[in-house]
Every structure is written in structure tokens, then in C-alpha cells.
Amino acid sequence: MTQYSVNGRSYAAEPTPGQCLRTFLRDLDVFGVKKGCDAGDCGACTVHIDGKPFHSCLVPAFRAEGREVTTIEGLARSGEPHPMQAAFREAQAFQCGFCTAGMIMTAVTLSEAQKSDLPHALKGNLCRCTGYRSIHDALQGRCNIEADLPGRALGASLPNPFTDAIVTGSARYTMDVAVEALLHLKVLRSPHAHARIVSIERGAALAVPGVVAVYTWEDVPRRLFSSALHEDHLVDPDDIMLLDNVARFVGQRVAAVVAETEAAAEAGCRALRVDYEVRPAVFDPVAAVQPDAPVLHDRDQVTASSNIFCTLQGEIGDVAAGFAEADAVHEETYSTTRVQHVHLETHGSIAWRGEDARWHIRTSSQAPFAARQKLAYIMGIPPRDLHVFTERVGGGFGGKQELVSEDLVLFATMKLGRPVKWEWTREEEFIGATTRHQMTTRVKIGARRDGTLTGLDVEVFSNTGAYGGHGGETLAAAMASPIAAYRCANKKGIGHAVYTNMTPGGGFRGYGASQTTFAVECAIDALARQLGIDPFEMRRKNVVRPGDNIESIWKEPNDASFGSYGIGECLDIVERELRKGNGVAKPDGAAWAEGQGVALAMLECGPPTEHRSGSELRLLPDGTYHLACGSTEMGNGITTAHKQIAASVLGTRADDIAIINADTDRTPYDTGTFASTGVVVGGKAVHLAAQAMAEDILDFASRHSGVPIDQCRLDNDGVVCGNQRIPLTELHAEGAKLDHRFSVSRRAYLSPRTIAFNVQGVRLAVHRVTGEIRVLHSVHAADIGRPINPMQCRGQLDGAVAMGYGWALVETMVHDSRGRMVNPQLRNCRIPTFADTPRTEIFFADTTDRIGPLGAKSQGECGINPVAPAVSNALADATGVRFAHLPFTPDRLFEKLAAT
């Protein structure tokens, strides 16, 4: 055996031929080395070899022989954290934390000169969550956290409770576990956009050494379901199977191979021989509704619109009359692209049968309870026989509100009786997971000379791809808040979610509203310029306000309400800051044009369908608390916020509340952590449970002390009753004698739904010849009620805005004429790097919400929505040209600017 030195420890091991250092280290249970791409693009696997940083996925394992390898686990040798780990802790330079180990390992090696040029120094390390501001803070030695003081948790910037585990590499993500007798699953994916599978020859695959089983559509349960995870499963069509005999997009899974090693499973997939009957395909939703378009899904009655999954339409007032009275009308078609979530932790699950004879699934999911229900249905077993849980999730953004990896591993382990693991590659994420829905939106909008809107007409075509999960719900969101955000007596809209032979659309931060916010906000701006009205004044005049009906194109009763109202303040803040400026001038030269743009977005906090959450709270014998809630922690900071909510009510420190989340065996039911519900539903359940616990403690203390309850109050780790102070430990001991358990449970439901607002301002420069864009000033104001944790709220908005800039300027999934993605790699389908991400000034409106827990509203999702239209409006201001199609890449700008 060859000797390897890793973190000062000697290992006798032999890498397999061709094995990279990343997988070799993980085979040694060194799990701080993460997989984000296995192509040297993301930096999550960065380690030191003899003190120098390397992307370990690019280093052959044998090259580490005789050299000292250091990973994040070995960075602190003296027992104390390395100064860089401490800096990341103080700055809270992470959210999901999946990139943090690699980021720290790179940052440790930077010289002072390199720290002064971070866009270059960090070009090899990607973060999808933070927007890089907090990482910059860490490298500048800035502290962003506050002290955890009893009774002062609300509004304090407290650190994430898992900080130390994240910065030292001991935090365990889905795949960071060693399992005995583990089998590996891989899938063969379709090379065709539309094809019937005639036959699959599996003999050669089964002959591959190490292959245990091959499964095709003939072996799995023939139950239709939807991969989308919602409380109400009826909102999504049942149109998917575990494995199907018809492939409807390039990348659809065709067969599953299970083997002793990952390499054997991949070899087995390559050995499969599939006979396809290729069918005609259609990729554009407008073409897909034509009478001669190929039909993707069998219907009882085929009509001319057989590829339309869902149509939503309505009208308020008389739109034709509204346009007749308009002094100015703007009409344009806007389009947005499909983009991938690129959560750095790819999809993956591990399934096994436990000693309790139940099936256990460890997974990376935003909705483990909904996943359990769906898995039980597919497999035909009672939900009580399933245990689905997460430990730490490396990002989600809506992409993990989907059942895409749990089903096959559960099926395989039920068949084989051994644990089965399936970890997706980055390419699989691009071609096999869901994306943001591509939408084309025609907007017609009219107004009087004074800017009063008279008519608004919107038509949307949403490309839901091969399957309809989330198709109806994202379309409903697209037709809702972006239209409801403005007062107009005459509104009309029609939207179609259309099946095509593209990768399926799914849930994505902004959830359908992003696409039509882009269209409506660009149209509002264009109309304002047409009328000669300031864009800020145009919005102030027409934005919805308290007392108005909150409605888009339907008059049905609506539970959305203004729990607080801060849009006016947000507009004022952004206008003030842009006017004040930041001292950054446009580049020299007449070819550079400068412009300014603004856009707003409205968010109904939570989906219109059912959403519920439970919370359990117990007082422990040592006077601390145990909190259990079903919400998923994926970098959204929900565990920190929940602890702070409970601590605020109980008058204690957040650190005195231990928390567990997202486990169908150990936590109460939760619909899922998506649709901006982590605070307004999950947080409300925690708030209710904490209030109930406070009442229980005070009631018992009053009876125990004989002091009236109105003279008793909680005081950190005790209760003050009159002139005496009783420790919680004493109360718990006395309660135990009487079988008083100090245990409470509460549930929360999503109704009514409060409303949040966001405003984005952009000043930029664009080169009229090359089309290069430079963001000079970025300002964002958010009406999110009272921030539970201001630092986390800023971080969430930083990440949302950065993702918005990526969508507007950088990210594009390119497909050829056969529906095949030609750039399924991070180096070719880029997400924003440090260099691509402008530093955004974040502000909060001074509001306190009457609906959300402790005055808080949602903040993590809506921040993305106004970014792309603000950029478009700034481009129009700079050039006089309206750019209506995302992304604003130089080649697209060059074509239109050259014509002016």
C-alpha cells in the first residue's frame, strides 16, 4: 500500500487508476472536500498540496504520494481555528456553506496584493448564495455579528448556529456519510428530444464487473405522478413515471444501473444498447400549440391545443375602453430565458432499510414531508414505513422542491435490500433537472397624459418543457403580483403553459413572477418615457396602495393583505441614493453611454394554495430548550431566525435553544421550505409554540410559588415571581415530580398572506461598439417588515440581487436544433463570479408587519425580480434602445446598437 499524508495523518491506501484526489480523499472519509463540478470550475474541492492550493478534482490522486495534503479539517492544527476560519465566522461569509471550505482554502493562501484584487484572486471559486459581499468582508477583517444577549435576540445579527461546523468542515451535507455495503446508482439519459423506446438490451451492462442490477420502464411501478412537491398535489399534472418507454426531452432518464462502485455503474450505463424510434419534436411553445405540432402526452381527446397544459385568463373592467381613453400606448413583446439553479450541492439521495424494518432516505430536499407522501404513493406503501430527512442542504433556490433523486434509490434498495446512493453530476443538473420557465410576454399598456394607467393587457406563453410540474402554479404567479402591483381599472390577461420537448421547467426563486415582472416593469418605464414622466413618479402614481383591491385579472376573493406598506419609502430610498451617487464615474471615452434605471416588484408572501407548518418546543432539565420544526435549512438562515423568534418570546439567548429541522421522524409536519414561507409560516409556528411555552412556564411558576401569574415574568434562565427568582432547572425538576412535561406543539397556516415589496436601482455604462456593460451603482430597498436578523436579511438580498444580475447579464443555456444543451458545464454556462457581481447597497424600509411573526415578512425570494428590468431600463436610458430579451450579452447588444 502507498502512504499518503492527509492533515498530518498517515493513510495506507491505493487510488484506483485515473482516480482524482477529490474522490480519493472522500474515500478516506475526509468529507470537507466537496463536489460542485468535478471539472475545476467551482473551487469547492480546493485543498493544499505542500501548502499550495489546488482544485483536487483536477489532480490525479497518485500525485499526492509523498506530499502533505491539507483539507479544511486540517487547517487548524492547534485546536484553535485558523485566523481565516475565524474571519469567515466573524463576517458570516457563507449561507448554505457548501462552497465555504474551498473558499477558505483559497483565501488562506492569498497575499496582501492578491487580497487587493479579489475579482482575479477568487476567479476559481464560485458562490451561488452570498453575492460575495460577506466573503469580501471576511477578507477585509470585518465583523458582522453581534452578541447573543438574553431577551435581545429580535433584530440582532446573530451567527448561524452551525457556523463552527461549516468553517471547520465538520458540517455534514447529504453525501458526507460513510455507509457500509453501499451500492451506487447511475442513469442512462436519452440523447433524443422525443423518442419511443423499442427495446433495451441489458446483457452487456450486466456483464460489467460490479454491476448488480439494471432497471428499465418494464421493471418499475407504472404509476403516473408529478415530480413537483406541493401541499396540494392536484395543482400539478400526473405526467411522469419512474422510468418511461417514451423520452420527451434530451436528458430524460431511460434506465438505471446499480453497481458496487460509481465507475462500474457508469460503465454499465455505457454498455446498454437502446433501440429508439425517434419522433418529431417541438421546442417553441408558440409552435407547440399549432394544429400540426407533435403531441407530447396522450389525451383522451386530441384537439388543436393538445400541448397546452394550462390556460389562465381573466379581465377586470373594459380593456378596450381603457386603451380608447389613453393618450399614450406602449406595446412590446418581452422574453426571458431558462436558467439553471446551480446550487453547488448537486441533487442526491441515499436510501436503506433500517433495523426498524422501515425505509430511510437521506436526501437534499426542500420538502421532505411532501417527498415522503409522494414516495409512499409511487411505491404503494404506507407513509409511516418511510423516513425522509435532510441534514444540511447545499442550496436550493426552488430546484430541490422536486422529487428527482429519491424515487429511484428507494426503488433500488427495496429490490436489492442494500443501501443505494445516487449523486448527480453537474452536467446532469443542466440536462436532467428543472430550470426556470422560459416565458414570452406581450404587454400592451396605456395611460393618460398625467401618467394614470387606463389599460393593461398581458399575454404569456410559458414553456413548461416536457412535463408540467410547477407549470400551472408558475403561470398563476406570472399572471398575479406583477399585474396586481399597479392600480388600473381595466386589466386583461391570458396565459398558456405549453408542453414542449425541452428540459422541464420547475420552481425557481421568483417562481414565475420574475418573468412577467421583467415585462411589466420595462413596459411601465417605456410608457413613462413616452409621456415624459419621471420613472419614479410613474410608479408612485400607479402602484397599489392600502385600501385598493389587490387583484390582477380576477375579481375572486383574495387573502393577500397589506400587513405593512413600505413601497413608497423603498422608492424614496433608491431615488435618493442614486441621486446622491457613489463617486464611481463611467469609463472615459465617447463610446461609453451612461444610464439609470429603476424597477419594483411585489410579493404575496406564500403561494395561494395550502401551506402549513408545525413546531414543537420542550424545556430541558438543564434550563435550555429544544425546538423541532420541519423547515429545511439550505442557506436561507431559517434555523437562525427560528431560534431568534423563540428566544425573543422566551426572554432567553438564542444559543440556549437547540434546534432540529426537516426530519419526518423527529420534527412536526411542514409542507416545505419554498415560496417565501420559512418565516411567515414556519416562523409563525415557532412564535405560537414559544408563546404557549412561556404561558406554560409562567402558569406552573405561579402555582409553584403561590405568586399571581401577573406578577411572574421570564428572565433568561429563570422566572421572577414577585421578589423571588426561580431557576428553570428548579421548575423543571418540580414539574417532573408531577409529570408536568413543559412540552408544547403548535401549527401555523398560510392565511392571510402579507405583501412585501422590493425596488432596485441601477446606474450603468454601456459601450456602444462592443456592448460591454459595467454596473456603476447598484441600490436595493426592501419592505420586509421587521428584520429578525438584519445581517441574514442583507445576505439573502445580496444573493438574490446577484442572481438577478446573473440572469440579466451572464447566464444562458444554449440548445441546438435537436433540443440538446451544448454548454452543460460551469465554464461555458457561467454563473456570476466575484468579478461579475456588483456590490449592492441594501436598505430596509422602516415597517413592522401586523401579520407576520414579530412583525417580519419574507425577504429571500423577491429581491431577484426587479433586477433584470432595472438593468433594461438603464440600458434604454443610456442608449435610447429598448432591449426586451434576456440576457443582455454583448453580442445581443452589439446587433441592436450597430443598427442605431
Side-chain angles (χ1 to χ4, degrees):
M1 283 288 184
T2 306
Q3 294 295 313
Y4 289 84
S5 178
V6 180
N7 298 326
R9 179 181 174 184
S10 181
Y11 292 86
E14 199 69 50
T16 58
Q19 186 174 23
C20 72
L21 181 58
R22 184 195 73 81
T23 58
F24 178 66
L25 290 170
R26 290 182 64 84
D27 285 347
L28 300 177
D29 296 346
V30 182
F31 292 123
V33 184
K34 305 302 184 194
K35 166 188 165 181
C37 65
D38 269 354
D41 297 329
C42 76
C45 68
T46 303
V47 302
H48 296 171
I49 302 177
D50 291 340
K52 295 183 179 180
F54 289 88
H55 291 183
S56 60
C57 66
L58 297 181
V59 178
F62 75 87
R63 293 195 180 275
E65 181 185 350
R67 306 172 74 180
E68 180 60 36
V69 177
T70 305
T71 73
I72 189 70
E73 292 96 332
L75 198 57
R77 295 289 177 89
S78 63
E80 292 296 319
H82 186 281
M84 189 59 69
Q85 291 172 313
F88 269 65
R89 180 192 187 281
E90 297 299 302
Q92 290 288 282
F94 58 85
Q95 284 178 27
C96 83
F98 197 79
C99 74
T100 304
M103 195 74 69
I104 290 175
M105 296 304 289
T106 296
V108 164
T109 65
L110 299 182
S111 66
E112 290 304 315
Q114 288 174 310
K115 289 180 183 178
S116 67
D117 186 13
L118 290 178
H120 182 266
L122 293 180
K123 65 181 180 180
N125 289 81
L126 296 177
C127 176
R128 190 58 157 168
C129 298
T130 64
Y132 299 99
R133 178 205 292 260
S134 59
I135 294 169
H136 179 268
D137 288 348
L139 290 166
Q140 299 300 314
R142 180 173 178 177
C143 180
N144 291 328
I145 60 176
E146 298 177 276
D148 183 9
L149 301 176
R152 299 182 61 180
L154 178 60
S157 293
L158 301 186
N160 186 296
F162 305 107
T163 294
D164 290 343
I166 290 168
V167 300
T168 61
S170 61
R172 290 291 176 254
Y173 295 81
T174 306
M175 296 298 155
D176 297 341
V177 60
V179 180
E180 292 292 328
L182 182 66
L183 295 172
H184 298 263
L185 184 146
K186 288 291 181 179
V187 299
L188 177 69
R189 296 184 180 274
S190 172
H192 304 293
H194 200 189
R196 185 178 72 87
I197 297 169
V198 178
S199 64
I200 300 178
E201 172 52 51
R202 61 183 92 187
L206 288 169
V208 171
V211 168
V212 174
V214 175
Y215 300 115
T216 73
W217 67 275
E218 297 172 296
D219 305 303
V220 299
R222 300 295 291 167
R223 286 191 177 93
L224 286 167
F225 65 98
S226 171
S227 64
L229 298 176
H230 285 111
E231 176 75 19
D232 181 1
H233 69 91
L234 298 177
V235 302
D236 303 302
D238 289 334
D239 55 8
I240 287 179
M241 291 190 181
L242 282 181
L243 297 168
D244 206 343
N245 65 333
V246 176
R248 296 178 176 88
F249 69 96
V250 175
Q252 180 170 319
R253 56 198 198 187
V254 170
V257 176
V258 185
E260 299 287 349
T261 66
E262 204 166 351
E266 290 176 347
C269 288
R270 291 192 295 270
L272 288 169
R273 296 293 175 260
V274 184
D275 182 12
Y276 294 98
E277 177 191 281
V278 179
R279 295 179 172 181
V282 61
F283 308 111
D284 179 77
V286 177
V289 302
Q290 302 306 313
D292 59 346
V295 178
L296 270 72
H297 294 274
D298 295 331
R299 303 293 182 90
D300 293 334
Q301 182 179 6
V302 175
T303 67
S305 59
S306 57
N307 283 323
I308 295 180
F309 157 60
C310 175
T311 295
L312 299 174
Q313 58 187 321
E315 183 172 6
I316 293 174
D318 186 335
V319 169
F323 287 124
E325 65 175 284
D327 295 309
V329 174
H330 166 80
E331 186 171 7
E332 179 66 90
T333 298
Y334 298 87
S335 67
T336 60
T337 51
R338 59 179 61 241
V339 288
Q340 228 283 320
H341 308 78
V342 194
H343 32 73
L344 283 194
E345 180 198 37
T346 61
H347 283 94
S349 301
I350 303 172
W352 68 94
R353 192 171 195 181
E355 294 180 359
D356 57 2
R358 297 165 66 234
W359 306 105
H360 301 261
I361 302 99
R362 177 186 176 95
T363 187
S364 187
S365 175
Q366 294 176 231
F369 285 89
R372 180 181 67 168
Q373 294 295 117
K374 193 150 289 190
L375 289 168
Y377 161 74
I378 296 168
M379 302 303 171
I381 60 177
R384 63 178 177 272
D385 290 346
L386 284 171
H387 171 214
V388 182
F389 68 102
T390 70
E391 188 165 350
R392 186 158 187 89
V393 176
F397 317 114
K400 293 175 180 176
Q401 190 194 342
E402 210 81 38
L403 190 80
V404 292
S405 63
E406 298 87 350
D407 50 357
L408 281 178
V409 292
L410 176 59
F411 173 78
T413 201
M414 291 176 73
K415 284 288 186 181
L416 300 171
R418 287 176 60 183
V420 178
K421 165 186 169 180
W422 183 17
E423 182 179 14
W424 285 34
T425 66
R426 180 56 58 189
E427 181 172 342
E428 284 184 296
E429 291 290 337
F430 280 117
I431 69 171
T434 58
T435 70
R436 185 183 294 282
H437 287 77
Q438 185 279 321
M439 291 190 188
T440 299
T441 304
R442 180 191 60 80
V443 179
K444 183 178 181 182
I445 187 169
R448 300 190 188 101
R449 287 186 181 85
D450 66 356
T452 302
L453 296 180
T454 61
L456 177 58
D457 188 4
V458 177
E459 181 182 25
V460 179
F461 277 91
S462 174
N463 190 336
T464 198
Y467 298 97
H470 300 280
E473 293 292 274
T474 51
L475 181 63
M479 307 294 291
S481 57
I483 299 172
Y486 288 102
R487 315 171 81 204
C488 183
N490 308 295
K491 297 179 183 179
K492 180 181 179 182
I494 183 168
H496 307 286
V498 184
Y499 285 121
T500 68
N501 293 108
M502 294 296 292
T503 308
F508 199 124
R509 192 181 215 161
Y511 203 75
S514 307
Q515 294 92 314
T516 47
T517 294
F518 172 68
V520 171
E521 285 300 302
C522 287
I524 286 283
D525 212 74
L527 186 62
R529 297 179 190 280
Q530 193 173 330
L531 289 165
I533 298 174
D534 178 81
F536 283 96
E537 290 305 315
M538 187 72 173
R539 288 171 172 83
R540 287 190 184 98
K541 186 176 188 66
N542 292 291
V543 72
V544 67
R545 61 192 66 167
D548 291 344
N549 294 321
I550 303 170
E551 55 191 13
S552 56
I553 59 174
W554 303 287
K555 286 189 174 181
E556 285 81 1
N558 190 341
D559 70 343
S561 305
F562 290 115
S564 58
Y565 183 80
I567 182 60
E569 185 179 352
C570 289
L571 287 165
D572 292 346
I573 289 170
V574 172
E575 184 178 33
R576 178 194 73 210
E577 294 301 314
L578 287 176
R579 186 185 298 118
K580 184 169 64 176
N582 62 351
V584 179
K586 76 176 182 69
D588 293 334
W592 285 98
E594 184 176 354
Q596 176 178 295
V598 63
L600 66 78
M602 186 177 93
L603 172 73
E604 297 170 355
C605 298
T609 49
E610 182 76 10
H611 205 104
R612 54 196 173 101
S613 183
S615 176
E616 294 174 356
L617 193 59
R618 288 187 290 118
L619 177 65
L620 302 177
D622 64 357
T624 63
Y625 300 88
H626 174 81
L627 175 62
C629 41
S631 303
T632 297
E633 172 59 61
M634 54 187 166
N636 48 349
I638 206 63
T639 52
T640 319
H642 286 177
K643 281 161 62 80
Q644 288 182 249
I645 290 171
S648 299
V649 175
L650 295 168
T652 189
R653 300 187 311 138
D655 200 40
D656 287 331
I657 299 175
I659 189 168
I660 183 172
N661 59 291
D663 188 314
T664 62
D665 272 7
R666 303 166 65 196
T667 63
Y669 181 88
D670 184 277
T671 295
T673 309
F674 53 83
S676 299
T677 55
V679 167
V680 295
V681 185
K684 181 182 275 189
V686 172
H687 187 211
L688 293 172
Q691 287 178 320
M693 175 58 74
E695 292 168 5
D696 187 33
I697 292 172
L698 291 174
D699 177 69
F700 186 86
S702 172
R703 289 187 283 111
H704 174 67
S705 66
V707 176
I709 193 170
D710 60 359
Q711 297 178 32
C712 299
R713 62 180 175 83
L714 287 164
D715 180 44
N716 190 17
D717 57 355
V719 179
V720 175
C721 297
N723 59 3
Q724 62 176 311
R725 187 179 190 279
I726 309 171
L728 291 178
T729 52
E730 180 181 326
L731 285 176
H732 190 281
E734 292 299 320
K737 297 174 184 177
L738 304 173
D739 198 29
H740 189 95
R741 300 174 186 175
F742 294 105
S743 177
V744 297
S745 176
R746 291 293 185 270
R747 298 173 186 173
Y749 301 87
L750 182 64
S751 189
R753 293 174 297 149
T754 190
I755 291 173
F757 287 98
N758 295 73
V759 176
Q760 175 71 33
V762 175
R763 179 171 61 89
L764 55 75
V766 55
H767 197 282
R768 290 184 174 276
V769 178
T770 65
E772 179 186 353
I773 294 172
R774 296 187 187 178
V775 176
L776 308 175
H777 196 183
S778 179
V779 183
H780 192 95
D783 168 28
I784 64 169
R786 186 173 184 179
I788 300 295
N789 185 313
M791 173 190 61
Q792 281 193 171
C793 292
R794 280 193 297 272
Q796 286 288 292
L797 288 168
D798 270 324
V801 172
M803 195 174 280
Y805 278 119
W807 191 38
L809 302 174
V810 176
E811 299 174 47
T812 179
M813 299 175 71
V814 181
H815 294 81
D816 64 17
S817 60
R818 296 175 296 163
R820 182 179 63 92
M821 186 179 177
V822 300
N823 60 331
Q825 311 88 18
L826 284 175
R827 67 186 57 189
N828 296 319
C829 186
R830 295 177 52 224
I831 64 171
T833 63
F834 191 105
D836 299 312
T837 307
R839 188 175 180 93
T840 298
E841 299 171 7
I842 304 289
F843 299 88
F844 301 118
D846 185 13
T847 60
T848 300
D849 197 75
R850 62 178 175 81
I851 296 173
L854 299 177
K857 295 194 281 194
S858 306
Q859 85 281 345
E861 183 169 16
C862 191
I864 191 176
N865 289 352
V867 178
V871 172
S872 178
N873 294 337
L875 285 171
D877 185 47
T879 65
V881 179
R882 172 60 59 182
F883 294 92
H885 310 286
L886 295 180
F888 305 128
T889 50
D891 57 320
R892 292 187 174 199
L893 268 62
F894 175 82
E895 185 178 355
K896 292 196 73 170
L897 291 174
T900 60

